[in-house]
PDB file of all heavy atoms in Angstrom:
ATOM      1  N   MET A 257       0.845  -1.198   0.000  1.00 87.00           N
ATOM      2  CA  MET A 257       0.000   0.000   0.000  1.00 87.00           C
ATOM      3  C   MET A 257       0.878   1.246   0.000  1.00 87.00           C
ATOM      4  O   MET A 257       1.947   1.256   0.622  1.00 87.00           O
ATOM      5  CB  MET A 257      -0.915   0.007   1.232  1.00 87.00           C
ATOM      6  CG  MET A 257      -2.010  -1.059   1.192  1.00 87.00           C
ATOM      7  SD  MET A 257      -3.121  -1.004   2.618  1.00 87.00           S
ATOM      8  CE  MET A 257      -2.149  -1.875   3.858  1.00 87.00           C
ATOM      9  N   ILE A 262      -3.931   5.152  -0.872  1.00 96.00           N
ATOM     10  CA  ILE A 262      -4.825   4.890   0.261  1.00 96.00           C
ATOM     11  C   ILE A 262      -5.526   6.147   0.762  1.00 96.00           C
ATOM     12  O   ILE A 262      -6.535   6.060   1.457  1.00 96.00           O
ATOM     13  CB  ILE A 262      -4.088   4.194   1.432  1.00 96.00           C
ATOM     14  CG1 ILE A 262      -2.948   5.060   1.960  1.00 96.00           C
ATOM     15  CG2 ILE A 262      -3.593   2.835   1.023  1.00 96.00           C
ATOM     16  CD1 ILE A 262      -2.229   4.422   3.129  1.00 96.00           C
ATOM     17  N   SER A 448     -12.813   3.701   4.169  1.00 98.00           N
ATOM     18  CA  SER A 448     -11.896   2.592   4.391  1.00 98.00           C
ATOM     19  C   SER A 448     -11.336   2.608   5.808  1.00 98.00           C
ATOM     20  O   SER A 448     -11.149   1.554   6.433  1.00 98.00           O
ATOM     21  CB  SER A 448     -10.752   2.643   3.374  1.00 98.00           C
ATOM     22  OG  SER A 448      -9.923   1.501   3.490  1.00 98.00           O
ATOM     23  N   THR A 449     -11.092   3.804   6.331  1.00 98.00           N
ATOM     24  CA  THR A 449     -10.539   3.940   7.681  1.00 98.00           C
ATOM     25  C   THR A 449     -11.491   3.423   8.743  1.00 98.00           C
ATOM     26  O   THR A 449     -11.061   2.862   9.760  1.00 98.00           O
ATOM     27  CB  THR A 449     -10.186   5.413   7.964  1.00 98.00           C
ATOM     28  OG1 THR A 449      -9.185   5.842   7.034  1.00 98.00           O
ATOM     29  CG2 THR A 449      -9.645   5.606   9.377  1.00 98.00           C
ATOM     30  N   ILE A 451     -13.626   0.995   8.442  1.00 97.00           N
ATOM     31  CA  ILE A 451     -13.874  -0.444   8.324  1.00 97.00           C
ATOM     32  C   ILE A 451     -12.808  -1.176   9.131  1.00 97.00           C
ATOM     33  O   ILE A 451     -11.737  -1.523   8.623  1.00 97.00           O
ATOM     34  CB  ILE A 451     -13.867  -0.897   6.846  1.00 97.00           C
ATOM     35  CG1 ILE A 451     -14.944  -0.146   6.055  1.00 97.00           C
ATOM     36  CG2 ILE A 451     -14.110  -2.413   6.750  1.00 97.00           C
ATOM     37  CD1 ILE A 451     -14.914  -0.418   4.561  1.00 97.00           C
ATOM     38  N   LYS A 452     -13.076  -1.385  10.417  1.00 96.00           N
ATOM     39  CA  LYS A 452     -12.085  -1.981  11.309  1.00 96.00           C
ATOM     40  C   LYS A 452     -11.810  -3.449  10.983  1.00 96.00           C
ATOM     41  O   LYS A 452     -10.715  -3.948  11.227  1.00 96.00           O
ATOM     42  CB  LYS A 452     -12.543  -1.858  12.764  1.00 96.00           C
ATOM     43  CG  LYS A 452     -12.544  -0.438  13.299  1.00 96.00           C
ATOM     44  CD  LYS A 452     -13.095  -0.367  14.711  1.00 96.00           C
ATOM     45  CE  LYS A 452     -12.226  -1.100  15.703  1.00 96.00           C
ATOM     46  NZ  LYS A 452     -12.721  -0.960  17.098  1.00 96.00           N
ATOM     47  N   TYR A 453     -12.825  -4.109  10.451  1.00 97.00           N
ATOM     48  CA  TYR A 453     -12.693  -5.543  10.196  1.00 97.00           C
ATOM     49  C   TYR A 453     -13.049  -5.816   8.736  1.00 97.00           C
ATOM     50  O   TYR A 453     -14.233  -5.987   8.404  1.00 97.00           O
ATOM     51  CB  TYR A 453     -13.616  -6.327  11.138  1.00 97.00           C
ATOM     52  CG  TYR A 453     -13.453  -5.902  12.579  1.00 97.00           C
ATOM     53  CD1 TYR A 453     -14.387  -5.049  13.178  1.00 97.00           C
ATOM     54  CD2 TYR A 453     -12.360  -6.313  13.324  1.00 97.00           C
ATOM     55  CE1 TYR A 453     -14.222  -4.628  14.489  1.00 97.00           C
ATOM     56  CE2 TYR A 453     -12.185  -5.897  14.627  1.00 97.00           C
ATOM     57  CZ  TYR A 453     -13.129  -5.054  15.216  1.00 97.00           C
ATOM     58  OH  TYR A 453     -12.962  -4.634  16.506  1.00 97.00           O
ATOM     59  N   PRO A 454     -12.064  -5.851   7.861  1.00 97.00           N
ATOM     60  CA  PRO A 454     -12.320  -5.976   6.412  1.00 97.00           C
ATOM     61  C   PRO A 454     -12.666  -7.394   5.969  1.00 97.00           C
ATOM     62  O   PRO A 454     -12.080  -7.932   5.029  1.00 97.00           O
ATOM     63  CB  PRO A 454     -10.996  -5.504   5.800  1.00 97.00           C
ATOM     64  CG  PRO A 454      -9.964  -5.890   6.812  1.00 97.00           C
ATOM     65  CD  PRO A 454     -10.619  -5.694   8.148  1.00 97.00           C
ATOM     66  N   ASP A 466      -5.449 -12.876  14.114  1.00 96.00           N
ATOM     67  CA  ASP A 466      -5.387 -11.691  13.266  1.00 96.00           C
ATOM     68  C   ASP A 466      -6.543 -10.770  13.639  1.00 96.00           C
ATOM     69  O   ASP A 466      -7.712 -11.145  13.503  1.00 96.00           O
ATOM     70  CB  ASP A 466      -5.488 -12.088  11.792  1.00 96.00           C
ATOM     71  CG  ASP A 466      -5.095 -10.946  10.860  1.00 96.00           C
ATOM     72  OD1 ASP A 466      -5.259  -9.775  11.243  1.00 96.00           O
ATOM     73  OD2 ASP A 466      -4.630 -11.230   9.736  1.00 96.00           O
ATOM     74  N   ILE A 467      -6.222  -9.576  14.097  1.00 96.00           N
ATOM     75  CA  ILE A 467      -7.233  -8.660  14.628  1.00 96.00           C
ATOM     76  C   ILE A 467      -8.305  -8.307  13.613  1.00 96.00           C
ATOM     77  O   ILE A 467      -9.456  -8.046  13.978  1.00 96.00           O
ATOM     78  CB  ILE A 467      -6.552  -7.376  15.162  1.00 96.00           C
ATOM     79  CG1 ILE A 467      -7.530  -6.579  16.020  1.00 96.00           C
ATOM     80  CG2 ILE A 467      -5.961  -6.545  14.033  1.00 96.00           C
ATOM     81  CD1 ILE A 467      -6.882  -5.452  16.792  1.00 96.00           C
ATOM     82  N   LYS A 468      -7.973  -8.319  12.333  1.00 96.00           N
ATOM     83  CA  LYS A 468      -8.942  -7.908  11.310  1.00 96.00           C
ATOM     84  C   LYS A 468     -10.077  -8.920  11.140  1.00 96.00           C
ATOM     85  O   LYS A 468     -11.091  -8.622  10.513  1.00 96.00           O
ATOM     86  CB  LYS A 468      -8.247  -7.704   9.967  1.00 96.00           C
ATOM     87  CG  LYS A 468      -7.809  -8.982   9.267  1.00 96.00           C
ATOM     88  CD  LYS A 468      -7.173  -8.697   7.924  1.00 96.00           C
ATOM     89  CE  LYS A 468      -6.815  -9.979   7.189  1.00 96.00           C
ATOM     90  NZ  LYS A 468      -6.164  -9.708   5.879  1.00 96.00           N
ATOM     91  N   GLU A 469      -9.926 -10.131  11.710  1.00 96.00           N
ATOM     92  CA  GLU A 469     -10.936 -11.172  11.549  1.00 96.00           C
ATOM     93  C   GLU A 469     -11.799 -11.372  12.793  1.00 96.00           C
ATOM     94  O   GLU A 469     -12.604 -12.289  12.865  1.00 96.00           O
ATOM     95  CB  GLU A 469     -10.251 -12.492  11.180  1.00 96.00           C
ATOM     96  CG  GLU A 469      -9.507 -12.437   9.855  1.00 96.00           C
ATOM     97  CD  GLU A 469      -8.724 -13.708   9.566  1.00 96.00           C
ATOM     98  OE1 GLU A 469      -8.677 -14.592  10.447  1.00 96.00           O
ATOM     99  OE2 GLU A 469      -8.151 -13.822   8.469  1.00 96.00           O
ATOM    100  N   LYS A 470     -11.670 -10.473  13.789  1.00 96.00           N
ATOM    101  CA  LYS A 470     -12.413 -10.622  15.040  1.00 96.00           C
ATOM    102  C   LYS A 470     -13.916 -10.461  14.857  1.00 96.00           C
ATOM    103  O   LYS A 470     -14.719 -11.096  15.538  1.00 96.00           O
ATOM    104  CB  LYS A 470     -11.927  -9.598  16.061  1.00 96.00           C
ATOM    105  CG  LYS A 470     -10.630  -9.956  16.754  1.00 96.00           C
ATOM    106  CD  LYS A 470     -10.205  -8.862  17.722  1.00 96.00           C
ATOM    107  CE  LYS A 470     -11.242  -8.617  18.777  1.00 96.00           C
ATOM    108  NZ  LYS A 470     -10.811  -7.587  19.752  1.00 96.00           N
ATOM    109  N   TYR A 482     -17.898  -2.071  -0.689  1.00 97.00           N
ATOM    110  CA  TYR A 482     -16.625  -2.429  -0.081  1.00 97.00           C
ATOM    111  C   TYR A 482     -15.572  -2.688  -1.151  1.00 97.00           C
ATOM    112  O   TYR A 482     -14.415  -2.253  -1.015  1.00 97.00           O
ATOM    113  CB  TYR A 482     -16.770  -3.659   0.815  1.00 97.00           C
ATOM    114  CG  TYR A 482     -15.442  -4.165   1.306  1.00 97.00           C
ATOM    115  CD1 TYR A 482     -14.740  -3.476   2.297  1.00 97.00           C
ATOM    116  CD2 TYR A 482     -14.837  -5.275   0.732  1.00 97.00           C
ATOM    117  CE1 TYR A 482     -13.490  -3.895   2.719  1.00 97.00           C
ATOM    118  CE2 TYR A 482     -13.592  -5.708   1.146  1.00 97.00           C
ATOM    119  CZ  TYR A 482     -12.922  -5.019   2.140  1.00 97.00           C
ATOM    120  OH  TYR A 482     -11.672  -5.424   2.543  1.00 97.00           O
ATOM    121  N   GLY A 490      -6.647   0.510  -2.635  1.00 95.00           N
ATOM    122  CA  GLY A 490      -5.610  -0.513  -2.749  1.00 95.00           C
ATOM    123  C   GLY A 490      -5.414  -1.336  -1.501  1.00 95.00           C
ATOM    124  O   GLY A 490      -4.304  -1.819  -1.238  1.00 95.00           O
ATOM    125  N   CYS A 491      -6.480  -1.504  -0.710  1.00 94.00           N
ATOM    126  CA  CYS A 491      -6.320  -2.270   0.531  1.00 94.00           C
ATOM    127  C   CYS A 491      -7.421  -3.315   0.718  1.00 94.00           C
ATOM    128  O   CYS A 491      -7.791  -3.627   1.856  1.00 94.00           O
ATOM    129  CB  CYS A 491      -6.273  -1.332   1.732  1.00 94.00           C
ATOM    130  SG  CYS A 491      -7.639  -0.166   1.840  1.00 94.00           S
ATOM    131  N   THR A 492      -7.947  -3.855  -0.366  1.00 93.00           N
ATOM    132  CA  THR A 492      -8.975  -4.879  -0.280  1.00 93.00           C
ATOM    133  C   THR A 492      -8.488  -6.060   0.557  1.00 93.00           C
ATOM    134  O   THR A 492      -7.408  -6.600   0.316  1.00 93.00           O
ATOM    135  CB  THR A 492      -9.363  -5.377  -1.686  1.00 93.00           C
ATOM    136  OG1 THR A 492      -9.827  -4.274  -2.462  1.00 93.00           O
ATOM    137  CG2 THR A 492     -10.460  -6.433  -1.598  1.00 93.00           C
ATOM    138  N   GLY A 493      -9.278  -6.451   1.547  1.00 94.00           N
ATOM    139  CA  GLY A 493      -8.922  -7.580   2.403  1.00 94.00           C
ATOM    140  C   GLY A 493      -7.970  -7.235   3.518  1.00 94.00           C
ATOM    141  O   GLY A 493      -7.673  -8.076   4.371  1.00 94.00           O
ATOM    142  N   ASN A 494      -7.469  -5.998   3.545  1.00 96.00           N
ATOM    143  CA  ASN A 494      -6.546  -5.553   4.595  1.00 96.00           C
ATOM    144  C   ASN A 494      -7.084  -4.317   5.286  1.00 96.00           C
ATOM    145  O   ASN A 494      -7.907  -3.586   4.741  1.00 96.00           O
ATOM    146  CB  ASN A 494      -5.173  -5.213   4.003  1.00 96.00           C
ATOM    147  CG  ASN A 494      -4.464  -6.424   3.452  1.00 96.00           C
ATOM    148  OD1 ASN A 494      -4.418  -7.473   4.096  1.00 96.00           O
ATOM    149  ND2 ASN A 494      -3.921  -6.306   2.249  1.00 96.00           N
ATOM    150  N   ARG A 495      -6.597  -4.091   6.474  1.00 97.00           N
ATOM    151  CA  ARG A 495      -6.946  -2.861   7.168  1.00 97.00           C
ATOM    152  C   ARG A 495      -6.252  -1.662   6.519  1.00 97.00           C
ATOM    153  O   ARG A 495      -5.086  -1.757   6.107  1.00 97.00           O
ATOM    154  CB  ARG A 495      -6.493  -2.928   8.628  1.00 97.00           C
ATOM    155  CG  ARG A 495      -7.456  -3.592   9.576  1.00 97.00           C
ATOM    156  CD  ARG A 495      -6.963  -3.470  10.999  1.00 97.00           C
ATOM    157  NE  ARG A 495      -8.065  -3.631  11.932  1.00 97.00           N
ATOM    158  CZ  ARG A 495      -7.983  -3.335  13.217  1.00 97.00           C
ATOM    159  NH1 ARG A 495      -6.857  -2.870  13.721  1.00 97.00           N
ATOM    160  NH2 ARG A 495      -9.028  -3.511  14.008  1.00 97.00           N
ATOM    161  N   HIS A 496      -6.971  -0.559   6.441  1.00 97.00           N
ATOM    162  CA  HIS A 496      -6.352   0.701   6.050  1.00 97.00           C
ATOM    163  C   HIS A 496      -5.381   1.079   7.169  1.00 97.00           C
ATOM    164  O   HIS A 496      -5.699   0.928   8.354  1.00 97.00           O
ATOM    165  CB  HIS A 496      -7.443   1.769   5.910  1.00 97.00           C
ATOM    166  CG  HIS A 496      -6.997   3.032   5.252  1.00 97.00           C
ATOM    167  ND1 HIS A 496      -6.146   3.921   5.878  1.00 97.00           N
ATOM    168  CD2 HIS A 496      -7.297   3.580   4.045  1.00 97.00           C
ATOM    169  CE1 HIS A 496      -5.942   4.956   5.071  1.00 97.00           C
ATOM    170  NE2 HIS A 496      -6.619   4.765   3.954  1.00 97.00           N
ATOM    171  N   PRO A 497      -4.168   1.548   6.861  1.00 97.00           N
ATOM    172  CA  PRO A 497      -3.211   1.902   7.920  1.00 97.00           C
ATOM    173  C   PRO A 497      -3.770   2.846   8.976  1.00 97.00           C
ATOM    174  O   PRO A 497      -3.446   2.726  10.167  1.00 97.00           O
ATOM    175  CB  PRO A 497      -2.059   2.549   7.135  1.00 97.00           C
ATOM    176  CG  PRO A 497      -2.094   1.861   5.811  1.00 97.00           C
ATOM    177  CD  PRO A 497      -3.559   1.666   5.527  1.00 97.00           C
ATOM    178  N   LEU A 498      -4.623   3.782   8.571  1.00 98.00           N
ATOM    179  CA  LEU A 498      -5.166   4.737   9.540  1.00 98.00           C
ATOM    180  C   LEU A 498      -6.154   4.085  10.494  1.00 98.00           C
ATOM    181  O   LEU A 498      -6.446   4.636  11.559  1.00 98.00           O
ATOM    182  CB  LEU A 498      -5.837   5.907   8.816  1.00 98.00           C
ATOM    183  CG  LEU A 498      -4.918   6.779   7.948  1.00 98.00           C
ATOM    184  CD1 LEU A 498      -5.679   7.985   7.405  1.00 98.00           C
ATOM    185  CD2 LEU A 498      -3.685   7.238   8.733  1.00 98.00           C
ATOM    186  N   THR A 499      -6.664   2.903  10.140  1.00 98.00           N
ATOM    187  CA  THR A 499      -7.590   2.188  11.023  1.00 98.00           C
ATOM    188  C   THR A 499      -6.914   1.846  12.343  1.00 98.00           C
ATOM    189  O   THR A 499      -7.548   1.880  13.403  1.00 98.00           O
ATOM    190  CB  THR A 499      -8.097   0.902  10.346  1.00 98.00           C
ATOM    191  OG1 THR A 499      -8.705   1.237   9.097  1.00 98.00           O
ATOM    192  CG2 THR A 499      -9.111   0.186  11.219  1.00 98.00           C
ATOM    193  N   TYR A 500      -5.625   1.520  12.302  1.00 98.00           N
ATOM    194  CA  TYR A 500      -4.896   1.202  13.527  1.00 98.00           C
ATOM    195  C   TYR A 500      -4.851   2.407  14.466  1.00 98.00           C
ATOM    196  O   TYR A 500      -4.961   2.266  15.689  1.00 98.00           O
ATOM    197  CB  TYR A 500      -3.473   0.753  13.195  1.00 98.00           C
ATOM    198  CG  TYR A 500      -3.398  -0.577  12.493  1.00 98.00           C
ATOM    199  CD1 TYR A 500      -3.330  -0.650  11.093  1.00 98.00           C
ATOM    200  CD2 TYR A 500      -3.411  -1.768  13.205  1.00 98.00           C
ATOM    201  CE1 TYR A 500      -3.270  -1.871  10.445  1.00 98.00           C
ATOM    202  CE2 TYR A 500      -3.346  -3.000  12.560  1.00 98.00           C
ATOM    203  CZ  TYR A 500      -3.282  -3.038  11.175  1.00 98.00           C
ATOM    204  OH  TYR A 500      -3.230  -4.255  10.529  1.00 98.00           O
ATOM    205  N   LEU A 501      -4.690   3.595  13.894  1.00 98.00           N
ATOM    206  CA  LEU A 501      -4.638   4.814  14.704  1.00 98.00           C
ATOM    207  C   LEU A 501      -6.020   5.159  15.238  1.00 98.00           C
ATOM    208  O   LEU A 501      -6.161   5.590  16.389  1.00 98.00           O
ATOM    209  CB  LEU A 501      -4.073   5.973  13.880  1.00 98.00           C
ATOM    210  CG  LEU A 501      -2.633   5.781  13.399  1.00 98.00           C
ATOM    211  CD1 LEU A 501      -2.207   6.949  12.509  1.00 98.00           C
ATOM    212  CD2 LEU A 501      -1.675   5.664  14.587  1.00 98.00           C
ATOM    213  N   GLU A 503      -8.421   3.005  15.872  1.00 97.00           N
ATOM    214  CA  GLU A 503      -8.700   2.024  16.914  1.00 97.00           C
ATOM    215  C   GLU A 503      -7.976   2.372  18.208  1.00 97.00           C
ATOM    216  O   GLU A 503      -8.544   2.269  19.305  1.00 97.00           O
ATOM    217  CB  GLU A 503      -8.274   0.637  16.437  1.00 97.00           C
ATOM    218  CG  GLU A 503      -8.541  -0.463  17.436  1.00 97.00           C
ATOM    219  CD  GLU A 503      -8.110  -1.820  16.907  1.00 97.00           C
ATOM    220  OE1 GLU A 503      -6.928  -1.951  16.516  1.00 97.00           O
ATOM    221  OE2 GLU A 503      -8.942  -2.728  16.871  1.00 97.00           O
ATOM    222  N   ALA A 504      -6.727   2.806  18.102  1.00 97.00           N
ATOM    223  CA  ALA A 504      -5.965   3.182  19.291  1.00 97.00           C
ATOM    224  C   ALA A 504      -6.604   4.387  19.982  1.00 97.00           C
ATOM    225  O   ALA A 504      -6.703   4.435  21.213  1.00 97.00           O
ATOM    226  CB  ALA A 504      -4.516   3.497  18.913  1.00 97.00           C
ATOM    227  N   GLU A 597       5.147  -3.610   8.300  1.00 97.00           N
ATOM    228  CA  GLU A 597       4.113  -4.639   8.266  1.00 97.00           C
ATOM    229  C   GLU A 597       2.725  -4.022   8.081  1.00 97.00           C
ATOM    230  O   GLU A 597       1.875  -4.583   7.374  1.00 97.00           O
ATOM    231  CB  GLU A 597       4.149  -5.465   9.548  1.00 97.00           C
ATOM    232  CG  GLU A 597       5.370  -6.363   9.695  1.00 97.00           C
ATOM    233  CD  GLU A 597       6.573  -5.618  10.254  1.00 97.00           C
ATOM    234  OE1 GLU A 597       6.462  -4.384  10.493  1.00 97.00           O
ATOM    235  OE2 GLU A 597       7.626  -6.248  10.439  1.00 97.00           O
ATOM    236  N   ILE A 598       2.498  -2.869   8.699  1.00 97.00           N
ATOM    237  CA  ILE A 598       1.200  -2.199   8.562  1.00 97.00           C
ATOM    238  C   ILE A 598       0.967  -1.795   7.113  1.00 97.00           C
ATOM    239  O   ILE A 598      -0.119  -2.005   6.558  1.00 97.00           O
ATOM    240  CB  ILE A 598       1.126  -0.971   9.497  1.00 97.00           C
ATOM    241  CG1 ILE A 598       1.002  -1.433  10.958  1.00 97.00           C
ATOM    242  CG2 ILE A 598      -0.052  -0.067   9.125  1.00 97.00           C
ATOM    243  CD1 ILE A 598       1.100  -0.317  11.980  1.00 97.00           C
ATOM    244  N   MET A 599       1.975  -1.227   6.485  1.00 96.00           N
ATOM    245  CA  MET A 599       1.837  -0.785   5.100  1.00 96.00           C
ATOM    246  C   MET A 599       1.763  -1.960   4.124  1.00 96.00           C
ATOM    247  O   MET A 599       1.227  -1.832   3.028  1.00 96.00           O
ATOM    248  CB  MET A 599       2.994   0.143   4.721  1.00 96.00           C
ATOM    249  CG  MET A 599       3.031   1.451   5.513  1.00 96.00           C
ATOM    250  SD  MET A 599       1.522   2.449   5.367  1.00 96.00           S
ATOM    251  CE  MET A 599       1.587   2.947   3.648  1.00 96.00           C
ATOM    252  N   GLU A 600       2.271  -3.097   4.541  1.00 95.00           N
ATOM    253  CA  GLU A 600       2.194  -4.295   3.690  1.00 95.00           C
ATOM    254  C   GLU A 600       0.895  -5.070   3.921  1.00 95.00           C
ATOM    255  O   GLU A 600       0.587  -6.003   3.179  1.00 95.00           O
ATOM    256  CB  GLU A 600       3.388  -5.216   3.975  1.00 95.00           C
ATOM    257  CG  GLU A 600       4.725  -4.659   3.485  1.00 95.00           C
ATOM    258  CD  GLU A 600       5.892  -5.540   3.889  1.00 95.00           C
ATOM    259  OE1 GLU A 600       5.691  -6.437   4.746  1.00 95.00           O
ATOM    260  OE2 GLU A 600       7.005  -5.340   3.359  1.00 95.00           O
ATOM    261  N   GLY A 601       0.160  -4.686   4.964  1.00 95.00           N
ATOM    262  CA  GLY A 601      -1.091  -5.366   5.271  1.00 95.00           C
ATOM    263  C   GLY A 601      -0.922  -6.679   6.002  1.00 95.00           C
ATOM    264  O   GLY A 601      -1.836  -7.507   6.032  1.00 95.00           O
ATOM    265  N   THR A 602       0.248  -6.890   6.610  1.00 96.00           N
ATOM    266  CA  THR A 602       0.526  -8.165   7.273  1.00 96.00           C
ATOM    267  C   THR A 602       0.521  -8.075   8.800  1.00 96.00           C
ATOM    268  O   THR A 602       0.670  -9.096   9.476  1.00 96.00           O
ATOM    269  CB  THR A 602       1.897  -8.714   6.826  1.00 96.00           C
ATOM    270  OG1 THR A 602       2.927  -7.759   7.152  1.00 96.00           O
ATOM    271  CG2 THR A 602       1.907  -8.970   5.324  1.00 96.00           C
ATOM    272  N   TYR A 603       0.338  -6.869   9.349  1.00 97.00           N
ATOM    273  CA  TYR A 603       0.370  -6.715  10.808  1.00 97.00           C
ATOM    274  C   TYR A 603      -0.936  -7.230  11.398  1.00 97.00           C
ATOM    275  O   TYR A 603      -2.022  -6.857  10.943  1.00 97.00           O
ATOM    276  CB  TYR A 603       0.590  -5.251  11.176  1.00 97.00           C
ATOM    277  CG  TYR A 603       0.850  -5.042  12.649  1.00 97.00           C
ATOM    278  CD1 TYR A 603       1.968  -5.583  13.261  1.00 97.00           C
ATOM    279  CD2 TYR A 603      -0.060  -4.315  13.431  1.00 97.00           C
ATOM    280  CE1 TYR A 603       2.203  -5.406  14.613  1.00 97.00           C
ATOM    281  CE2 TYR A 603       0.172  -4.125  14.778  1.00 97.00           C
ATOM    282  CZ  TYR A 603       1.301  -4.670  15.369  1.00 97.00           C
ATOM    283  OH  TYR A 603       1.532  -4.492  16.712  1.00 97.00           O
ATOM    284  N   LYS A 604      -0.865  -8.069  12.433  1.00 96.00           N
ATOM    285  CA  LYS A 604      -2.042  -8.786  12.931  1.00 96.00           C
ATOM    286  C   LYS A 604      -2.555  -8.314  14.284  1.00 96.00           C
ATOM    287  O   LYS A 604      -3.528  -8.866  14.805  1.00 96.00           O
ATOM    288  CB  LYS A 604      -1.730 -10.284  13.024  1.00 96.00           C
ATOM    289  CG  LYS A 604      -1.416 -10.931  11.683  1.00 96.00           C
ATOM    290  CD  LYS A 604      -1.173 -12.418  11.842  1.00 96.00           C
ATOM    291  CE  LYS A 604      -0.913 -13.077  10.494  1.00 96.00           C
ATOM    292  NZ  LYS A 604      -0.715 -14.547  10.621  1.00 96.00           N
ATOM    293  N   HIS A 605      -1.924  -7.311  14.866  1.00 97.00           N
ATOM    294  CA  HIS A 605      -2.285  -6.913  16.224  1.00 97.00           C
ATOM    295  C   HIS A 605      -2.721  -5.452  16.278  1.00 97.00           C
ATOM    296  O   HIS A 605      -2.634  -4.731  15.289  1.00 97.00           O
ATOM    297  CB  HIS A 605      -1.090  -7.120  17.155  1.00 97.00           C
ATOM    298  CG  HIS A 605      -0.456  -8.465  17.043  1.00 97.00           C
ATOM    299  ND1 HIS A 605      -1.004  -9.600  17.573  1.00 97.00           N
ATOM    300  CD2 HIS A 605       0.707  -8.858  16.427  1.00 97.00           C
ATOM    301  CE1 HIS A 605      -0.232 -10.640  17.311  1.00 97.00           C
ATOM    302  NE2 HIS A 605       0.814 -10.218  16.616  1.00 97.00           N
ATOM    303  N   ASP A 606      -3.178  -5.015  17.469  1.00 96.00           N
ATOM    304  CA  ASP A 606      -3.376  -3.583  17.655  1.00 96.00           C
ATOM    305  C   ASP A 606      -2.003  -2.962  17.920  1.00 96.00           C
ATOM    306  O   ASP A 606      -1.026  -3.676  18.177  1.00 96.00           O
ATOM    307  CB  ASP A 606      -4.354  -3.301  18.807  1.00 96.00           C
ATOM    308  CG  ASP A 606      -3.825  -3.754  20.164  1.00 96.00           C
ATOM    309  OD1 ASP A 606      -2.836  -3.170  20.645  1.00 96.00           O
ATOM    310  OD2 ASP A 606      -4.409  -4.684  20.756  1.00 96.00           O
ATOM    311  N   ILE A 607      -1.920  -1.642  17.874  1.00 97.00           N
ATOM    312  CA  ILE A 607      -0.596  -1.017  17.959  1.00 97.00           C
ATOM    313  C   ILE A 607      -0.102  -0.817  19.393  1.00 97.00           C
ATOM    314  O   ILE A 607       0.992  -0.269  19.597  1.00 97.00           O
ATOM    315  CB  ILE A 607      -0.527   0.312  17.169  1.00 97.00           C
ATOM    316  CG1 ILE A 607      -1.622   1.274  17.599  1.00 97.00           C
ATOM    317  CG2 ILE A 607      -0.591   0.024  15.676  1.00 97.00           C
ATOM    318  CD1 ILE A 607      -1.537   2.630  16.913  1.00 97.00           C
TER     319      ILE A 607
END
Side-chain angles (χ1 to χ4, degrees):
M257 290 182 279
I262 61 179
S448 186
T449 298
I451 301 174
K452 291 176 65 176
Y453 310 102
D466 194 332
I467 194 169
K468 73 178 184 181
E469 298 175 354
K470 281 178 59 178
Y482 172 74
C491 52
T492 302
N494 294 314
R495 275 186 158 193
H496 192 289
L498 297 186
T499 303
Y500 292 95
L501 297 176
E503 181 180 55
E597 291 83 358
I598 288 173
M599 296 302 292
E600 290 175 347
T602 59
Y603 189 63
K604 297 182 178 182
H605 311 284
D606 65 67
I607 54 176

